[in-house]
Amino acid sequence: MKVVLTIGGSDSCSGAGIQADLKTFAAHGLYGVSTVTAVTAQSPSRITTMHIIPSEIITAQIDTVLDDISITGVKTGMLGKCDIVNSVASALNDRGLLTVIDPVIQSSSGTTLLKENAVEDLKNKLFPQASVVTPNKAEAEQLSGVTIRTLSDTKTAARRIRNLGPSAVVITGGHYNPTGDTVVDVVHDGHDFFEIPNRRVSLDTNEQTHGTGCIYSSALLAQLVTGHTIIHAAQAAQRFVSSELTRRLHFGKDTWFTGLGNRRTRA
């Protein structure tokens, strides 16, 4: 069984963060290990408080796992502040691992999860090590300086982010044109652009989208470590998230926690 590492914040309601990552890995037949960067107290609708883990503890977690276990891929999520970004970048440097960077800047409920002065370090220290970076619309705008109103804008933003060093960029389309019937993710592999459309799942409440960015990036990593191309992996990850949202729609907003660990999908 392949082993993958998630580096990110702990979500006490388990809908996002490392808990969602681990459940997604398990659903793809992978064994997930973790490095905790922060402990949060949250529900699907809000974060009430958080504690950032000291950077030396984060480094120790990463080094211990990577030194003693054969890891095939890494996914990063919430990093919080500059010294953590730099510690993670240093710990992963020269490891040569397939790495998916989810540039978590703000929660879906509006809480800041990455200090503003850490964004530049994220771009300069971690992006050059990334196999793929997976921002949503708001994150892509902040990372690229492009205001996204059209698919052409999305491609311009993807190109600018790709120029920061990652091998590929996927800008997820869930927040673009939210009243439209179709979600279009944009993939830029450094040469070409690919549009990946899918039917939008219309939800009753924003709480039901809690953790979808984490789930997407974890599903993408799961597909990549099994040898799929970035396009196939992005298509499969999009379908996986759509399936999760459809389940939430059918079973109601209070049962979002019952799904990922209870099903198995082929990677």
Side-chain angles (χ1 to χ4, degrees), residues 8-261:
S10 169
D11 172 7
S12 56
C13 71
S14 296
I18 58 171
Q19 288 89 342
D21 297 337
L22 294 173
K23 288 186 285 186
T24 301
F25 295 153
H28 285 81
L30 304 176
Y31 187 88
V33 295
S34 62
T35 289
V36 180
T37 61
V39 177
T40 70
Q42 63 177 292
S43 71
S45 62
R46 64 187 182 129
I47 297 176
T48 58
T49 189
M50 69 179 72
H51 170 71
I52 304 296
I53 303 299
S55 59
E56 62 270 20
I57 302 299
I58 293 169
T59 298
Q61 291 179 80
I62 297 172
D63 287 346
T64 300
V65 169
L66 292 182
D67 289 345
D68 292 355
I69 301 173
S70 179
I71 303 293
T72 57
V74 178
K75 177 248 170 162
T76 71
M78 176 186 174
L79 300 180
K81 57 182 183 175
C82 287
D83 63 336
I84 294 178
V85 172
N86 292 325
S87 294
V88 170
S90 178
L92 295 181
N93 192 37
D94 296 328
R95 297 279 187 171
L97 293 169
L98 196 159
T99 304
V100 172
I101 305 294
D102 181 12
V104 176
I105 297 174
Q106 188 177 75
S107 72
S108 57
S109 61
T111 301
T112 297
L113 300 179
L114 181 67
K115 292 186 181 298
E116 186 175 354
N117 62 358
V119 174
E120 289 302 311
D121 284 343
L122 183 72
K123 294 193 291 186
N124 295 330
K125 303 292 183 60
L126 265 180
F127 281 16
Q129 300 189 51
S131 305
V132 191
V133 175
T134 63
N136 60 29
K137 175 180 177 288
E139 292 161 347
E141 288 181 329
Q142 185 166 347
L143 293 168
S144 68
V146 175
T147 299
I148 297 175
R149 296 190 179 93
T150 66
L151 279 175
S152 178
D153 295 334
T154 305
K155 293 177 182 179
T156 299
R159 182 184 295 109
R160 289 191 183 182
I161 296 170
R162 168 63 176 72
N163 288 340
L164 296 171
S167 298
V169 177
V170 181
I171 298 181
T172 55
H175 296 88
Y176 172 76
N177 189 22
T179 61
D181 294 331
T182 303
V183 171
V184 180
D185 297 339
V186 172
V187 180
H188 181 39
D189 65 1
H191 301 285
D192 300 309
F193 291 93
F194 303 88
E195 297 176 16
I196 301 178
N198 198 14
R199 180 184 61 83
R200 182 182 295 277
V201 180
S202 298
L203 300 172
D204 299 328
T205 169
N206 288 334
E207 291 180 19
Q208 290 171 288
T209 64
H210 177 67
T212 51
C214 302
I215 295 167
Y216 177 88
S217 54
S218 298
L220 184 72
L221 176 63
Q223 293 291 329
L224 291 171
V225 298
T226 55
H228 295 299
T229 65
I230 181 61
I231 303 305
H232 183 282
Q235 290 171 330
Q238 186 191 69
R239 290 193 299 269
F240 187 81
V241 172
S242 180
S243 175
E244 170 65 7
L245 291 175
T246 299
R247 183 192 60 78
R248 294 180 185 184
L249 176 66
H250 288 167
F251 290 96
K253 71 183 184 69
D254 293 326
T255 58
W256 48 268
F257 55 84
T258 61
L260 288 174

